[in-house]
Amino acid sequence: MKSLSTNTIDESIFSEPATMRAARLHVIGEPMRVDEIPVPQIGPDDVRVEVKACNLVPNLGNILANWKAWNPGLPLPELPAVFGLDTTGVVAAVGKNVARTKIGQRVYVNPGVSCGTCLACSRKDTMNCKNYTFMGYFGFGPECQPIYDRYPLGGLAENIIAPVANIVPIPDNITFEQGARFGYLGTSFSALKKGAVRADSTLLVLGITGTLGVGCVLNALALGVGRIYGTGRNSELLEKVKAIAPDRIEVINLDHGPVAPRLWELTGGDGIEVAVNCLGPGAPAAYVVDAFAAMARGGRFVNVSGVQERPALDIFDLMCRQVSLISSNWFSVQEGLEMAELARIGLLDLSRFEQSSWKLADVNTAINSLPNRHGGFSNYTVVP
């Protein structure tokens, strides 16, 4: 499907709508309905963004159909609810305390909201808030509903309300659809930062052909990493990833046996300094254990994966080799600002994405199309 262009801004004066269209889930497992609902009022520190694009993340189908059964400790909002994790658009209204963010500004909305009152929040460590909540997705603690009540909208709507602290301005040289990929891009960007990757690092990306994996490659290239190794199973997609930067990327097919011996050979016996696990939930734990066997002494293994099978790790061996396992979940607004700047100056190349977009009325068709995506190169969005 061809992209529906949303890279232009209507320069007319924004009106304050009383109602809007939004795709809402009423019952788990049933299709969404496009309803006419009231537009929430913004608070003094909030902004209202007129949505131009909302990314359909690969996991959305699981969220809508199976999440409560699979992950009862990660709460969804009370239904009916407006989902949609990654949103871009134009600032249409600002609260009375908002100074720097201006009406008409092109922005990405980071959906991660903290409670503001727990111990982590008091330390300004908002991403480790015990009730950290993704607007339009799911939360991490038992008391997320008050946050959903304050910010009830995901991006599958004509407008979204968000704290101004969550706003990331996006440059004019990327489209709204490309900017709506910032969620998965940011997840891998934060993982690379936690892994302290450098230009001379040996970097391994497990699951390099997926949505997280392709984004990790683009970020690593933007950060100047010269030696990137990646694993996957689809030969055509592996070659497509390698073609992004053939002199800097080497790919390994998981179907051809364990990768650790090959990685020791490719790195000249140095091993992998930083690994980012981008494997999908259904990947076997053996892939993870195999990657640990390729880690250099002092290496850092960063996990952003949802692999469900539990790996049997030899923690004595990890201690002897001083290999660190680092968990990473999502990304900060500051990291979003860094990505936006890398895109603005041309180092982060988002033109690699293959764009498909649907109107809000076709949201269920779009969600049902997610299994057909072309690995991590596909970028599926709803453009209200």
Side-chain angles (χ1 to χ4, degrees), residues 274-298:
V274 181
V276 179
N277 181 16
C278 299
L279 291 167
Y287 291 165
V288 178
V289 177
D290 188 21
F292 269 100
M295 298 301 294
R297 181 171 174 82

Side-chain angles (χ1 to χ4, degrees), residues 146-165:
I147 299 177
Y148 287 128
D149 292 340
R150 178 67 193 88
Y151 299 105
L153 302 174
L156 295 175
E158 292 178 321
N159 291 272
I160 186 171
I161 307 298
V164 69

Side-chain angles (χ1 to χ4, degrees), residues 51-261:
V51 176
K52 296 296 184 182
C54 177
N55 190 266
L56 296 179
V57 299
N59 199 38
L60 181 59
N62 290 330
I63 296 291
L64 301 179
N66 306 303
W67 196 252
K68 283 194 173 182
W70 291 359
N71 298 286
L74 302 176
L76 297 179
E78 293 177 356
L79 302 181
V82 180
F83 285 83
L85 183 64
D86 290 307
T87 308
T88 54
V90 178
V91 176
V94 299
K96 65 179 182 180
N97 294 339
V98 175
R100 294 186 62 184
T101 300
K102 304 299 183 183
I103 290 175
Q105 197 166 11
R106 304 170 78 250
V107 297
Y108 166 81
V109 180
N110 189 317
V113 181
S114 56
C115 72
T117 59
C118 71
L119 182 60
C121 287
S122 70
R123 294 170 173 167
K124 308 301 182 185
D125 184 18
T126 55
M127 289 189 65
N128 285 319
C129 168
K130 66 179 183 178
N131 292 302
Y132 195 71
T133 302
F134 288 137
M135 298 183 294
Y137 210 43
F138 64 84
F140 291 90
E143 301 171 16
C144 293
Q145 190 55 47
I147 299 177
Y148 287 128
D149 292 340
R150 178 67 193 88
Y151 299 105
L153 302 174
L156 295 175
E158 292 178 321
N159 291 272
I160 186 171
I161 307 298
V164 69
N166 288 53
I167 296 301
V168 177
I170 57 175
D172 292 338
N173 61 329
I174 69 172
T175 68
F176 287 113
E177 292 95 338
Q178 291 168 343
R181 185 68 174 263
F182 263 35
Y184 269 53
L185 281 166
T187 297
S188 63
F189 186 81
S190 187
L192 292 168
K193 289 284 189 174
K194 290 183 177 73
V197 74
R198 308 186 322 182
D200 61 349
S201 296
T202 52
L203 170 68
L204 171 64
V205 182
L206 287 80
I208 199 169
T209 62
T211 302
L212 275 171
V214 170
C216 191
V217 168
L218 296 178
N219 279 319
L221 292 171
L223 292 170
V225 180
R227 292 180 291 171
I228 302 170
Y229 306 94
T231 66
R233 298 182 62 185
N234 185 307
S235 297
E236 184 265 329
L237 286 174
L238 284 169
E239 289 306 310
K240 191 175 179 67
V241 171
K242 181 175 175 59
I244 296 173
D247 58 333
R248 297 167 67 182
I249 300 171
E250 187 62 57
V251 294
I252 304 171
N253 195 314
L254 289 164
D255 287 339
H256 297 167
V259 302

